[in-house]
Amino acid sequence: LFAGNPDLDPESSLSAEVGLRWRPQPSSALSVYAYQTRVDDLIAFNGQDFQAVNVDEAERQGIEAEYRLSLPHWDLGANLTLQRTEDLATGESLLRRPDEKASITVDRRFDNGSWLGLEWAYTGERSDFGGIQLDSYHLLNLRAGWQFRPAWQLSLRGDNLADEVYEPAFGFNAAGRCWYLSLAWMP
């Protein structure tokens, strides 16, 4: 698996992006960006032995929108990406790249230096090797923390709280519900 390829060429790309960022008030911001990227010799993998190969010409184009709002003790955010990817030689979508992704975050900050937040993330359907269509999935994540000294922080993260079963790539199961506890020193 994952065979090398001595004939592999480096990829190169040319991108164009135009965007608008609007701050109707200091506590909020809305941004919208449109982009287009052409890639020559995109590095990908073929389905037989996962050998690294070049896709002669590929294109990605899309729109990303983001909104942020900060209120006393609250931070809210939303993000949406709509994109189209294409192997220009075959007209097929590039593998493992969804047409849509979205997320919403809500964080509550407390006066004692602690915080609590939820994140919802969505990834749309995407194609994989052999014409396989990978299902879309939703994730719900939790984050919490406490800055208990000026240089010390304790944090907890819970990923995939609903224990969603999904494949980020064909044949690769994602982690179920998992928890992470960390202690950080930041002098």
Side-chain angles (χ1 to χ4, degrees):
L1 287 176
F2 301 105
N5 181 352
D7 298 322
L8 192 66
D9 291 324
E11 67 181 32
S12 61
S13 64
L14 180 62
S15 294
E17 181 176 305
V18 62
L20 172 67
R21 184 172 175 92
W22 181 49
R23 294 186 65 98
Q25 49 190 309
S27 62
S28 66
L30 172 66
S31 58
V32 179
Y33 295 93
Y35 62 89
Q36 180 169 348
T37 302
R38 297 274 309 235
V39 184
D40 291 329
D41 297 318
L42 175 72
I43 296 174
F45 298 92
N46 75 14
Q48 189 169 355
D49 61 359
F50 291 105
Q51 182 182 36
V53 296
N54 288 116
V55 173
D56 287 335
E57 290 185 304
E59 183 177 71
R60 295 186 308 246
Q61 54 183 297
I63 296 174
E64 293 182 357
E66 181 177 39
Y67 180 72
R68 297 274 173 216
L69 177 63
S70 291
L71 301 170
H73 302 290
W74 290 95
D75 289 320
L76 309 169
N79 184 291
L80 173 67
T81 300
L82 302 173
Q83 68 179 356
R84 186 186 64 76
T85 65
E86 182 180 354
D87 177 334
L88 295 176
T90 65
E92 298 290 323
S93 294
L94 296 175
L95 300 180
R96 299 180 178 165
R97 291 170 172 88
D99 289 342
E100 62 273 332
K101 297 184 288 186
S103 68
I104 296 173
T105 59
V106 177
D107 292 306
R108 172 72 162 100
R109 294 181 316 278
F110 300 95
D111 291 332
N112 66 355
S114 61
W115 67 90
L116 177 65
L118 278 175
E119 172 190 47
W120 167 82
Y122 168 77
T123 299
E125 292 181 352
R126 59 240 173 267
S127 50
D128 210 331
F129 294 108
I132 302 285
Q133 194 70 12
L134 298 171
D135 292 334
S136 62
Y137 58 91
H138 302 261
L139 296 177
L140 184 62
N141 304 317
L142 171 81
R143 56 182 174 249
W146 178 35
Q147 186 85 37
F148 61 93
R149 294 255 192 226
W152 288 93
Q153 177 177 299
L154 181 65
S155 60
L156 173 70
R157 180 163 179 92
D159 287 344
N160 194 4
L161 295 181
D163 205 20
E164 173 105 9
V165 176
Y166 67 97
E167 290 178 304
F170 179 68
F172 293 86
N173 292 327
R177 183 182 308 114
C178 48
W179 296 92
Y180 304 94
L181 180 64
S182 66
L183 177 65
W185 179 57
M186 300 168 291

